Amino acid sequence: MARQPDGPPPPPTVQKLRIRYAKRGRLRFASHRDLARALERALRRARVPMAFSAGFSPHPKISYLGAAPTGAASEAEYVEIGLSVRCDPEAVRAALDAALPEDVAVLDCVEAQEGTGSLADRIDTSVWRVELPGLDPDELTRAVEAFLAADVVTVAKRTKNGLKDIDARPSVTSASASAGVGCAILHMVVRQGTPAVRPDDVLAALAAVADLRPPLPPRAVREAQGRLDDTGTVADPLEPDRTAGAPDQEAHATV
Amino acid sequence: MTADLRTTTGESLYPRLEPLLAQIQKPIQYVGGELNAQVKHWDAARVHWALMYPDAYEVGLPNQGLMILYEVLNERSDALAERTYAVWPDLAALMREHGVPQFTVDGHRAVADFDLLGVSFATELGYTNLLEALDLAGVPLHAVDRDESHPVVVAGGHAAFNPEPVADFVDCAVLGDGEQAVGDITDVVGAWKEQGRPGGREELLARLARVDGVYVPRFYAMTYAADGAIAAVTQTRDDVPEKVGKRTVMDLDEWPYPKQPLVPLAESVHERMSVEIFRGCTRGCRFCQAGMITRPVRERTITGIGSMVDQGLKATGYEEVGLLSLSSADHSEIGQLAKELADRYEGTNTGLSLPSTRVDAFNVTLANELSRNGRRSGLTFAPEGGSERIRRVINKTVSKEDLVRTVTTAYANGWTQVKLYFMCGLPTETDEDVLEIADLAVEVIRAGREASGRKDIRCTVSIGGFVPKPHTPFQWAGQASAETIDHRLRVLRAKINEDRKIGRSIGLRYHDGKPGVIEGLLSRGDRRVGRVIERVWREGGRFDGWSEHFSYDRWVAAATEELAPFGVDLDWYTTRERTEHEILPWDHLDSGLDKEWLWEDWQAAISEDEVADCRWTPCYDCGVCPTNGTEIQIGPTGRSLLPLTVV
């Protein structure tokens, strides 16, 4: 017979919270795994009553949604956690925010509402802002125009299995250029899919169509994530829970 | 050296570093901002310390020694301490290209701006990384070329008990425990700066040489005899001690550090916090440098440990605590400690663990207790020697029956993975001694399958090549050659694989014998070896502890050419057995151990005579306590862990 862990099974998940957080400043260099570790430890320090998986190696119930790449900052990263005791979402947000490093900010926390569907289904698009220090904005404008005018822009993408050619064009639903302080700024709305098209891939595409060569490394920020509607707007993925959950009459334990 | 564009001392280099970080692997290791890290105001401190662990961040960050000194120094209002680690070659190349010098990860300040650069050498394989860091920092490689504008380079850690191979590159070395020594050094440097740096660097180093436990190599001259051995070590100033002693912190409860352990964002080699439950060991294992140079045993009390575990967990959010020491099951109150900690953290998903332990059935009981709450990973035992005979030679006696019984008990208690540590190349060792490892492993699996009723139990045999170390009874021994080690590992592997039905449950982990030879050169080397280190670094040698960076051929070529003018060679330093009265390069550095006692113990080893632990049997006159005015500090205290206040 298979060996069983000693003791009773862990308490069940009684509440799911959906969280939006930002990674900024120096922590843009944190990888998804780095942030996951930091988040798990912060949850322990903040004494959030996490639900755990069963088995010999219990893990806290945390689901991560597609993370921004290492080196990119983000104002809109999402994670869902399962609790074993009901808590006030705002209290969890504040406690977690205090327990995380300064450059990680917990911006929003809502209770997942029954019947509203999964969080992953509400996210299919990213809004990016990419600062290109030392680059002439007009040069960027011309490159963006050339890119948008093309039907196919093939770039080599580094994957687990070596370099692979992908078409960067169809995922980019809109793009524009503006001028910043000492830099040009690329704004774009990019559909998430497989293979994923990331800011670096779009920059490689701009190099391919218009020989755009920024003199310094880019600084990318993911400004929003959500579902792209017909008007070209990206919807707040936490909105359905917020709408379904209000007014909230249930009593909450405090963290 | 890199062009230096800085204007203000202590200024952050981060704006210049940031664009480089976008182009390299694992940039998170260079950004700092770890939980519990601190950045103090530069101008508010009188004495600035850069503390370096000369290996990659992921290895260096969890280092307890560095973490302790970082906190102890930063608690002083007149001092500031920041950390720096070895930079990987991808970033080092960019730093040279863009003129960014070696920096600290806390304030991203240039290492050259600090008053002191403290380097903790847990192993000799970090020496080339020190040279790389000095060069990246823009600090002259050779201590004699530095002036008072350069940091004082201080070596510490176990390897500092023979700093001769790096004597040309460091300004001083601290022997023994650092907690109090760094305070004394800070006082000396602070006073000298306040007085307007009288007498320049020479005067500062002379003052440091008079601090207890501080060795300043430049004030000791070496001469060599025709046979290559050291003829004499003479002081070049009459105000420095003939022999430099070591520092010993006597009351560990007064030094409950780290109180706020650092928690990195990046992955590190130890994903847990550690609490040192005692320091020193008198088991008398003859190969073990740590056990010899850290005497006597000084226990932290059960209540002291309890509060460090509690505060550390609150400060870090770690889910595992390692109870650290050289032989943790030997703490006088370990049974009670394990039970009370397990009770305290019941139901919190907090794991408690002991590092590798002696082969003793009691340790299985302890491990069962500690794993009550958390994850039940593998158990590790360290018999070290394959045969009973060789275990008598190394003074780590355990019978084959006890070993098999202990490991079988572990399997019967639900542990499915047992790891056994052994050494190969021990003095007097023959092929037969090593082949007995296979017999042991086979018997352990056979008995384990029977006792547990399971087929999926595993035994991993992990083997390291033995390197003779200074200040141990084996300091005179001839080191086994790389060929000998490789041969013995080969015959062992063949024997384990003879019976596939059992052999498939046995894993064998080992390295080839080559890195051990270089470690041996650096461990028992003298000042002449410094030229070899420098040459290897100049030819690109870095990260010698990493097999993908280590080049044996480069070391051998450098040793051959640099040592030839002195009439010595690699074998002279490694495989050659020393004679009783040879002056050893570390004889003027005093660990407290009486050289005559060490020799007697070496002779006892050859005769396969054992020595008992002085905690439970009469003193056998190793010399440490009378030399240093210290004594064994052990419990039991009779106290219990206080219940925690409910939060």
Side-chain angles (χ1 to χ4, degrees), chain A residues 3 26 28-29 33-34 37 41 44-45 47 52 58 217, chain B residues 14 18-19 28 35 265 267 271 316-317 350 375 414 454:
Chain A
R3 214 159 50 101
R26 290 173 194 184
R28 73 185 172 96
F29 292 114
R33 281 160 50 85
D34 299 333
R37 250 191 315 274
R41 285 177 189 145
R44 289 174 68 90
R45 281 197 303 282
R47 294 165 177 270
F52 277 80
Chain B
Y14 191 74
E18 191 181 25
I28 188 71
L35 184 69
L265 271 109
E267 190 166 13
E271 293 291 314
T316 60
T350 304
R375 301 168 183 186
R454 303 164 59 99

PDB file of all heavy atoms in Angstrom, chain A residues 3 26 28-29 33-34 37 41 44-45 47 52 58 217, chain B residues 14 18-19 28 35 265 267 271 316-317 350 375 414 454:
ATOM      1  N   ARG A   3       2.386   4.744   0.914  1.00  0.00           N
ATOM      2  CA  ARG A   3       2.590   5.410   2.188  1.00  0.00           C
ATOM      3  C   ARG A   3       1.687   6.646   2.271  1.00  0.00           C
ATOM      4  O   ARG A   3       1.473   7.347   1.295  1.00  0.00           O
ATOM      5  CB  ARG A   3       4.048   5.853   2.250  1.00  0.00           C
ATOM      6  CG  ARG A   3       4.664   5.801   3.607  1.00  0.00           C
ATOM      7  CD  ARG A   3       6.189   5.752   3.439  1.00  0.00           C
ATOM      8  NE  ARG A   3       6.628   6.810   2.530  1.00  0.00           N
ATOM      9  CZ  ARG A   3       7.169   7.962   2.952  1.00  0.00           C
ATOM     10  NH1 ARG A   3       7.311   8.212   4.230  1.00  0.00           N
ATOM     11  NH2 ARG A   3       7.571   8.859   2.091  1.00  0.00           N
ATOM     12  N   ARG A  26      14.541  48.394  -9.222  1.00  0.00           N
ATOM     13  CA  ARG A  26      15.563  47.352  -9.365  1.00  0.00           C
ATOM     14  C   ARG A  26      14.962  45.962  -9.525  1.00  0.00           C
ATOM     15  O   ARG A  26      15.586  45.082 -10.086  1.00  0.00           O
ATOM     16  CB  ARG A  26      16.465  47.342  -8.136  1.00  0.00           C
ATOM     17  CG  ARG A  26      17.337  48.570  -8.108  1.00  0.00           C
ATOM     18  CD  ARG A  26      18.110  48.678  -6.834  1.00  0.00           C
ATOM     19  NE  ARG A  26      18.635  50.042  -6.781  1.00  0.00           N
ATOM     20  CZ  ARG A  26      19.433  50.498  -5.854  1.00  0.00           C
ATOM     21  NH1 ARG A  26      19.797  49.717  -4.871  1.00  0.00           N
ATOM     22  NH2 ARG A  26      19.872  51.735  -5.892  1.00  0.00           N
ATOM     23  N   ARG A  28      12.793  44.989 -11.382  1.00  0.00           N
ATOM     24  CA  ARG A  28      12.475  44.549 -12.736  1.00  0.00           C
ATOM     25  C   ARG A  28      13.432  43.432 -13.159  1.00  0.00           C
ATOM     26  O   ARG A  28      13.147  42.648 -14.042  1.00  0.00           O
ATOM     27  CB  ARG A  28      12.497  45.707 -13.726  1.00  0.00           C
ATOM     28  CG  ARG A  28      13.863  46.260 -14.104  1.00  0.00           C
ATOM     29  CD  ARG A  28      13.648  47.488 -14.989  1.00  0.00           C
ATOM     30  NE  ARG A  28      14.867  48.220 -15.260  1.00  0.00           N
ATOM     31  CZ  ARG A  28      15.614  48.076 -16.359  1.00  0.00           C
ATOM     32  NH1 ARG A  28      15.301  47.185 -17.267  1.00  0.00           N
ATOM     33  NH2 ARG A  28      16.686  48.825 -16.537  1.00  0.00           N
ATOM     34  N   PHE A  29      14.548  43.341 -12.467  1.00  0.00           N
ATOM     35  CA  PHE A  29      15.509  42.288 -12.804  1.00  0.00           C
ATOM     36  C   PHE A  29      15.188  40.951 -12.116  1.00  0.00           C
ATOM     37  O   PHE A  29      15.920  39.984 -12.253  1.00  0.00           O
ATOM     38  CB  PHE A  29      16.928  42.735 -12.448  1.00  0.00           C
ATOM     39  CG  PHE A  29      17.403  43.871 -13.322  1.00  0.00           C
ATOM     40  CD1 PHE A  29      17.640  45.126 -12.796  1.00  0.00           C
ATOM     41  CD2 PHE A  29      17.573  43.665 -14.685  1.00  0.00           C
ATOM     42  CE1 PHE A  29      18.067  46.172 -13.604  1.00  0.00           C
ATOM     43  CE2 PHE A  29      17.997  44.706 -15.510  1.00  0.00           C
ATOM     44  CZ  PHE A  29      18.241  45.964 -14.966  1.00  0.00           C
ATOM     45  N   ARG A  33      10.495  33.237 -11.055  1.00  0.00           N
ATOM     46  CA  ARG A  33      10.780  32.357  -9.916  1.00  0.00           C
ATOM     47  C   ARG A  33      11.227  33.140  -8.680  1.00  0.00           C
ATOM     48  O   ARG A  33      10.875  32.813  -7.556  1.00  0.00           O
ATOM     49  CB  ARG A  33      11.853  31.325 -10.290  1.00  0.00           C
ATOM     50  CG  ARG A  33      11.310  30.148 -11.100  1.00  0.00           C
ATOM     51  CD  ARG A  33      12.428  29.427 -11.849  1.00  0.00           C
ATOM     52  NE  ARG A  33      13.570  29.097 -11.000  1.00  0.00           N
ATOM     53  CZ  ARG A  33      13.651  27.998 -10.247  1.00  0.00           C
ATOM     54  NH1 ARG A  33      12.681  27.120 -10.255  1.00  0.00           N
ATOM     55  NH2 ARG A  33      14.706  27.767  -9.508  1.00  0.00           N
ATOM     56  N   ASP A  34      12.031  34.184  -8.908  1.00  0.00           N
ATOM     57  CA  ASP A  34      12.459  35.037  -7.795  1.00  0.00           C
ATOM     58  C   ASP A  34      11.245  35.654  -7.099  1.00  0.00           C
ATOM     59  O   ASP A  34      11.149  35.673  -5.874  1.00  0.00           O
ATOM     60  CB  ASP A  34      13.363  36.175  -8.293  1.00  0.00           C
ATOM     61  CG  ASP A  34      14.643  35.673  -8.952  1.00  0.00           C
ATOM     62  OD1 ASP A  34      15.102  34.573  -8.601  1.00  0.00           O
ATOM     63  OD2 ASP A  34      15.178  36.399  -9.820  1.00  0.00           O
ATOM     64  N   ARG A  37       9.149  33.120  -5.093  1.00  0.00           N
ATOM     65  CA  ARG A  37       9.755  32.833  -3.788  1.00  0.00           C
ATOM     66  C   ARG A  37       9.508  33.969  -2.803  1.00  0.00           C
ATOM     67  O   ARG A  37       9.135  33.749  -1.652  1.00  0.00           O
ATOM     68  CB  ARG A  37      11.265  32.660  -3.966  1.00  0.00           C
ATOM     69  CG  ARG A  37      11.780  31.257  -3.794  1.00  0.00           C
ATOM     70  CD  ARG A  37      13.289  31.245  -3.715  1.00  0.00           C
ATOM     71  NE  ARG A  37      13.915  32.070  -4.715  1.00  0.00           N
ATOM     72  CZ  ARG A  37      14.206  31.675  -5.945  1.00  0.00           C
ATOM     73  NH1 ARG A  37      13.933  30.442  -6.312  1.00  0.00           N
ATOM     74  NH2 ARG A  37      14.767  32.490  -6.813  1.00  0.00           N
ATOM     75  N   ARG A  41       7.292  33.776   0.784  1.00  0.00           N
ATOM     76  CA  ARG A  41       7.852  34.140   2.088  1.00  0.00           C
ATOM     77  C   ARG A  41       7.106  35.316   2.690  1.00  0.00           C
ATOM     78  O   ARG A  41       6.881  35.371   3.896  1.00  0.00           O
ATOM     79  CB  ARG A  41       9.330  34.484   1.942  1.00  0.00           C
ATOM     80  CG  ARG A  41      10.152  33.242   1.763  1.00  0.00           C
ATOM     81  CD  ARG A  41      11.603  33.556   1.533  1.00  0.00           C
ATOM     82  NE  ARG A  41      12.271  32.325   1.149  1.00  0.00           N
ATOM     83  CZ  ARG A  41      13.262  32.251   0.281  1.00  0.00           C
ATOM     84  NH1 ARG A  41      13.731  33.350  -0.278  1.00  0.00           N
ATOM     85  NH2 ARG A  41      13.811  31.101  -0.012  1.00  0.00           N
ATOM     86  N   ARG A  44       4.022  34.239   4.382  1.00  0.00           N
ATOM     87  CA  ARG A  44       4.281  33.664   5.708  1.00  0.00           C
ATOM     88  C   ARG A  44       4.554  34.759   6.731  1.00  0.00           C
ATOM     89  O   ARG A  44       4.038  34.730   7.841  1.00  0.00           O
ATOM     90  CB  ARG A  44       5.471  32.697   5.655  1.00  0.00           C
ATOM     91  CG  ARG A  44       5.158  31.402   4.930  1.00  0.00           C
ATOM     92  CD  ARG A  44       6.396  30.544   4.786  1.00  0.00           C
ATOM     93  NE  ARG A  44       6.874  30.033   6.062  1.00  0.00           N
ATOM     94  CZ  ARG A  44       6.477  28.875   6.601  1.00  0.00           C
ATOM     95  NH1 ARG A  44       5.587  28.136   5.984  1.00  0.00           N
ATOM     96  NH2 ARG A  44       6.962  28.474   7.752  1.00  0.00           N
ATOM     97  N   ARG A  45       5.380  35.724   6.350  1.00  0.00           N
ATOM     98  CA  ARG A  45       5.672  36.801   7.296  1.00  0.00           C
ATOM     99  C   ARG A  45       4.421  37.589   7.630  1.00  0.00           C
ATOM    100  O   ARG A  45       4.236  38.041   8.748  1.00  0.00           O
ATOM    101  CB  ARG A  45       6.723  37.753   6.714  1.00  0.00           C
ATOM    102  CG  ARG A  45       8.143  37.261   6.794  1.00  0.00           C
ATOM    103  CD  ARG A  45       9.130  38.396   6.586  1.00  0.00           C
ATOM    104  NE  ARG A  45       8.943  39.085   5.323  1.00  0.00           N
ATOM    105  CZ  ARG A  45       9.356  38.633   4.148  1.00  0.00           C
ATOM    106  NH1 ARG A  45       9.998  37.482   4.072  1.00  0.00           N
ATOM    107  NH2 ARG A  45       9.144  39.316   3.046  1.00  0.00           N
ATOM    108  N   ARG A  47       1.589  36.399   7.822  1.00  0.00           N
ATOM    109  CA  ARG A  47       0.698  35.470   8.499  1.00  0.00           C
ATOM    110  C   ARG A  47      -0.660  35.352   7.828  1.00  0.00           C
ATOM    111  O   ARG A  47      -1.709  35.284   8.458  1.00  0.00           O
ATOM    112  CB  ARG A  47       0.515  35.870   9.978  1.00  0.00           C
ATOM    113  CG  ARG A  47       1.821  35.716  10.721  1.00  0.00           C
ATOM    114  CD  ARG A  47       1.829  36.409  12.056  1.00  0.00           C
ATOM    115  NE  ARG A  47       3.098  36.144  12.715  1.00  0.00           N
ATOM    116  CZ  ARG A  47       3.303  35.110  13.528  1.00  0.00           C
ATOM    117  NH1 ARG A  47       2.346  34.270  13.798  1.00  0.00           N
ATOM    118  NH2 ARG A  47       4.482  34.932  14.071  1.00  0.00           N
ATOM    119  N   PHE A  52      -3.165  24.773   2.026  1.00  0.00           N
ATOM    120  CA  PHE A  52      -2.048  23.993   1.487  1.00  0.00           C
ATOM    121  C   PHE A  52      -2.543  22.790   0.719  1.00  0.00           C
ATOM    122  O   PHE A  52      -3.622  22.249   1.003  1.00  0.00           O
ATOM    123  CB  PHE A  52      -1.133  23.522   2.632  1.00  0.00           C
ATOM    124  CG  PHE A  52      -0.148  24.559   3.071  1.00  0.00           C
ATOM    125  CD1 PHE A  52      -0.530  25.589   3.923  1.00  0.00           C
ATOM    126  CD2 PHE A  52       1.165  24.529   2.616  1.00  0.00           C
ATOM    127  CE1 PHE A  52       0.383  26.564   4.324  1.00  0.00           C
ATOM    128  CE2 PHE A  52       2.078  25.495   3.006  1.00  0.00           C
ATOM    129  CZ  PHE A  52       1.689  26.520   3.853  1.00  0.00           C
ATOM    130  N   PRO A  58       3.586  19.501   1.287  1.00  0.00           N
ATOM    131  CA  PRO A  58       2.478  20.448   1.103  1.00  0.00           C
ATOM    132  C   PRO A  58       2.965  21.794   0.578  1.00  0.00           C
ATOM    133  O   PRO A  58       3.976  22.306   1.055  1.00  0.00           O
ATOM    134  CB  PRO A  58       1.907  20.613   2.516  1.00  0.00           C
ATOM    135  CG  PRO A  58       2.623  19.647   3.402  1.00  0.00           C
ATOM    136  CD  PRO A  58       3.870  19.222   2.700  1.00  0.00           C
ATOM    137  N   PRO A 217      20.225  49.882 -23.749  1.00  0.00           N
ATOM    138  CA  PRO A 217      19.204  48.858 -23.509  1.00  0.00           C
ATOM    139  C   PRO A 217      17.838  49.481 -23.199  1.00  0.00           C
ATOM    140  O   PRO A 217      17.770  50.516 -22.531  1.00  0.00           O
ATOM    141  CB  PRO A 217      19.740  48.098 -22.287  1.00  0.00           C
ATOM    142  CG  PRO A 217      21.196  48.373 -22.256  1.00  0.00           C
ATOM    143  CD  PRO A 217      21.361  49.747 -22.837  1.00  0.00           C
TER     144      PRO A 217
ATOM    145  N   TYR B  14      24.883  52.640  -9.314  1.00  0.00           N
ATOM    146  CA  TYR B  14      23.767  51.921  -9.924  1.00  0.00           C
ATOM    147  C   TYR B  14      23.331  52.465 -11.290  1.00  0.00           C
ATOM    148  O   TYR B  14      23.093  51.672 -12.210  1.00  0.00           O
ATOM    149  CB  TYR B  14      22.569  51.861  -8.966  1.00  0.00           C
ATOM    150  CG  TYR B  14      21.514  50.905  -9.467  1.00  0.00           C
ATOM    151  CD1 TYR B  14      21.714  49.527  -9.384  1.00  0.00           C
ATOM    152  CD2 TYR B  14      20.348  51.373 -10.063  1.00  0.00           C
ATOM    153  CE1 TYR B  14      20.782  48.644  -9.879  1.00  0.00           C
ATOM    154  CE2 TYR B  14      19.404  50.490 -10.565  1.00  0.00           C
ATOM    155  CZ  TYR B  14      19.621  49.127 -10.464  1.00  0.00           C
ATOM    156  OH  TYR B  14      18.704  48.246 -10.972  1.00  0.00           O
ATOM    157  N   GLU B  18      23.059  49.755 -14.211  1.00  0.00           N
ATOM    158  CA  GLU B  18      21.743  49.290 -14.662  1.00  0.00           C
ATOM    159  C   GLU B  18      21.685  48.898 -16.142  1.00  0.00           C
ATOM    160  O   GLU B  18      21.164  47.825 -16.467  1.00  0.00           O
ATOM    161  CB  GLU B  18      20.679  50.344 -14.341  1.00  0.00           C
ATOM    162  CG  GLU B  18      19.275  49.808 -14.546  1.00  0.00           C
ATOM    163  CD  GLU B  18      18.198  50.835 -14.248  1.00  0.00           C
ATOM    164  OE1 GLU B  18      18.484  52.050 -14.342  1.00  0.00           O
ATOM    165  OE2 GLU B  18      17.071  50.427 -13.948  1.00  0.00           O
ATOM    166  N   PRO B  19      22.229  49.727 -17.038  1.00  0.00           N
ATOM    167  CA  PRO B  19      22.161  49.314 -18.456  1.00  0.00           C
ATOM    168  C   PRO B  19      22.906  47.998 -18.720  1.00  0.00           C
ATOM    169  O   PRO B  19      22.533  47.254 -19.626  1.00  0.00           O
ATOM    170  CB  PRO B  19      22.847  50.463 -19.206  1.00  0.00           C
ATOM    171  CG  PRO B  19      22.907  51.592 -18.264  1.00  0.00           C
ATOM    172  CD  PRO B  19      22.867  51.043 -16.885  1.00  0.00           C
ATOM    173  N   ILE B  28      19.343  39.702 -11.076  1.00  0.00           N
ATOM    174  CA  ILE B  28      18.809  39.960  -9.728  1.00  0.00           C
ATOM    175  C   ILE B  28      19.887  39.858  -8.655  1.00  0.00           C
ATOM    176  O   ILE B  28      19.822  40.517  -7.620  1.00  0.00           O
ATOM    177  CB  ILE B  28      17.638  38.987  -9.433  1.00  0.00           C
ATOM    178  CG1 ILE B  28      16.915  39.343  -8.131  1.00  0.00           C
ATOM    179  CG2 ILE B  28      18.092  37.543  -9.401  1.00  0.00           C
ATOM    180  CD1 ILE B  28      16.103  40.599  -8.209  1.00  0.00           C
ATOM    181  N   LEU B  35      15.648  41.276   1.721  1.00  0.00           N
ATOM    182  CA  LEU B  35      14.975  41.500   2.987  1.00  0.00           C
ATOM    183  C   LEU B  35      16.036  41.518   4.086  1.00  0.00           C
ATOM    184  O   LEU B  35      16.902  40.641   4.123  1.00  0.00           O
ATOM    185  CB  LEU B  35      13.970  40.368   3.222  1.00  0.00           C
ATOM    186  CG  LEU B  35      13.101  40.514   4.471  1.00  0.00           C
ATOM    187  CD1 LEU B  35      12.121  41.666   4.294  1.00  0.00           C
ATOM    188  CD2 LEU B  35      12.374  39.220   4.747  1.00  0.00           C
ATOM    189  N   LEU B 265      16.097  37.551  -3.049  1.00  0.00           N
ATOM    190  CA  LEU B 265      15.070  37.229  -4.033  1.00  0.00           C
ATOM    191  C   LEU B 265      15.576  36.126  -4.934  1.00  0.00           C
ATOM    192  O   LEU B 265      14.837  35.249  -5.335  1.00  0.00           O
ATOM    193  CB  LEU B 265      14.745  38.468  -4.880  1.00  0.00           C
ATOM    194  CG  LEU B 265      13.643  39.310  -4.273  1.00  0.00           C
ATOM    195  CD1 LEU B 265      14.216  40.579  -3.747  1.00  0.00           C
ATOM    196  CD2 LEU B 265      12.547  39.548  -5.260  1.00  0.00           C
ATOM    197  N   GLU B 267      17.573  32.805  -6.158  1.00  0.00           N
ATOM    198  CA  GLU B 267      17.711  31.489  -5.581  1.00  0.00           C
ATOM    199  C   GLU B 267      19.127  31.344  -5.018  1.00  0.00           C
ATOM    200  O   GLU B 267      20.083  31.802  -5.609  1.00  0.00           O
ATOM    201  CB  GLU B 267      17.484  30.437  -6.663  1.00  0.00           C
ATOM    202  CG  GLU B 267      17.378  29.048  -6.117  1.00  0.00           C
ATOM    203  CD  GLU B 267      16.826  28.078  -7.150  1.00  0.00           C
ATOM    204  OE1 GLU B 267      16.766  28.457  -8.334  1.00  0.00           O
ATOM    205  OE2 GLU B 267      16.463  26.965  -6.754  1.00  0.00           O
ATOM    206  N   GLU B 271      18.045  27.262   0.821  1.00  0.00           N
ATOM    207  CA  GLU B 271      16.758  27.947   0.906  1.00  0.00           C
ATOM    208  C   GLU B 271      16.167  27.742   2.299  1.00  0.00           C
ATOM    209  O   GLU B 271      15.101  27.168   2.471  1.00  0.00           O
ATOM    210  CB  GLU B 271      15.812  27.421  -0.181  1.00  0.00           C
ATOM    211  CG  GLU B 271      16.245  27.774  -1.587  1.00  0.00           C
ATOM    212  CD  GLU B 271      16.132  29.264  -1.901  1.00  0.00           C
ATOM    213  OE1 GLU B 271      15.089  29.858  -1.570  1.00  0.00           O
ATOM    214  OE2 GLU B 271      17.077  29.836  -2.443  1.00  0.00           O
ATOM    215  N   THR B 316      12.126  36.423   8.536  1.00  0.00           N
ATOM    216  CA  THR B 316      12.459  35.968   7.182  1.00  0.00           C
ATOM    217  C   THR B 316      11.302  35.376   6.387  1.00  0.00           C
ATOM    218  O   THR B 316      11.244  35.503   5.174  1.00  0.00           O
ATOM    219  CB  THR B 316      13.539  34.866   7.234  1.00  0.00           C
ATOM    220  OG1 THR B 316      13.032  33.763   7.983  1.00  0.00           O
ATOM    221  CG2 THR B 316      14.819  35.376   7.855  1.00  0.00           C
ATOM    222  N   GLY B 317      10.386  34.659   7.083  1.00  0.00           N
ATOM    223  CA  GLY B 317       9.354  33.933   6.351  1.00  0.00           C
ATOM    224  C   GLY B 317       9.860  32.625   5.764  1.00  0.00           C
ATOM    225  O   GLY B 317       9.169  31.985   4.988  1.00  0.00           O
ATOM    226  N   THR B 350       6.384  24.283   9.139  1.00  0.00           N
ATOM    227  CA  THR B 350       7.763  24.715   9.346  1.00  0.00           C
ATOM    228  C   THR B 350       8.645  23.481   9.514  1.00  0.00           C
ATOM    229  O   THR B 350       8.355  22.626  10.340  1.00  0.00           O
ATOM    230  CB  THR B 350       7.871  25.581  10.613  1.00  0.00           C
ATOM    231  OG1 THR B 350       6.966  26.677  10.483  1.00  0.00           O
ATOM    232  CG2 THR B 350       9.286  26.109  10.792  1.00  0.00           C
ATOM    233  N   ARG B 375       8.580  18.873   5.785  1.00  0.00           N
ATOM    234  CA  ARG B 375       8.788  17.942   4.696  1.00  0.00           C
ATOM    235  C   ARG B 375       9.816  16.899   5.107  1.00  0.00           C
ATOM    236  O   ARG B 375      10.841  17.244   5.687  1.00  0.00           O
ATOM    237  CB  ARG B 375       9.256  18.727   3.475  1.00  0.00           C
ATOM    238  CG  ARG B 375       8.194  19.750   3.135  1.00  0.00           C
ATOM    239  CD  ARG B 375       8.647  20.776   2.152  1.00  0.00           C
ATOM    240  NE  ARG B 375       7.545  21.741   1.969  1.00  0.00           N
ATOM    241  CZ  ARG B 375       7.554  22.713   1.102  1.00  0.00           C
ATOM    242  NH1 ARG B 375       8.580  22.889   0.314  1.00  0.00           N
ATOM    243  NH2 ARG B 375       6.525  23.524   0.996  1.00  0.00           N
ATOM    244  N   GLY B 414      10.521   5.141   7.633  1.00  0.00           N
ATOM    245  CA  GLY B 414       9.854   5.855   6.548  1.00  0.00           C
ATOM    246  C   GLY B 414      10.747   6.774   5.731  1.00  0.00           C
ATOM    247  O   GLY B 414      10.285   7.427   4.809  1.00  0.00           O
ATOM    248  N   ARG B 454       9.928  -2.299   1.427  1.00  0.00           N
ATOM    249  CA  ARG B 454       9.802  -1.499   0.208  1.00  0.00           C
ATOM    250  C   ARG B 454      10.976  -1.762  -0.713  1.00  0.00           C
ATOM    251  O   ARG B 454      12.079  -2.008  -0.279  1.00  0.00           O
ATOM    252  CB  ARG B 454       9.777  -0.006   0.555  1.00  0.00           C
ATOM    253  CG  ARG B 454       8.689   0.386   1.501  1.00  0.00           C
ATOM    254  CD  ARG B 454       9.000   1.765   2.073  1.00  0.00           C
ATOM    255  NE  ARG B 454       9.096   2.731   0.997  1.00  0.00           N
ATOM    256  CZ  ARG B 454       8.115   3.548   0.657  1.00  0.00           C
ATOM    257  NH1 ARG B 454       7.003   3.538   1.315  1.00  0.00           N
ATOM    258  NH2 ARG B 454       8.263   4.391  -0.339  1.00  0.00           N
TER     259      ARG B 454
END
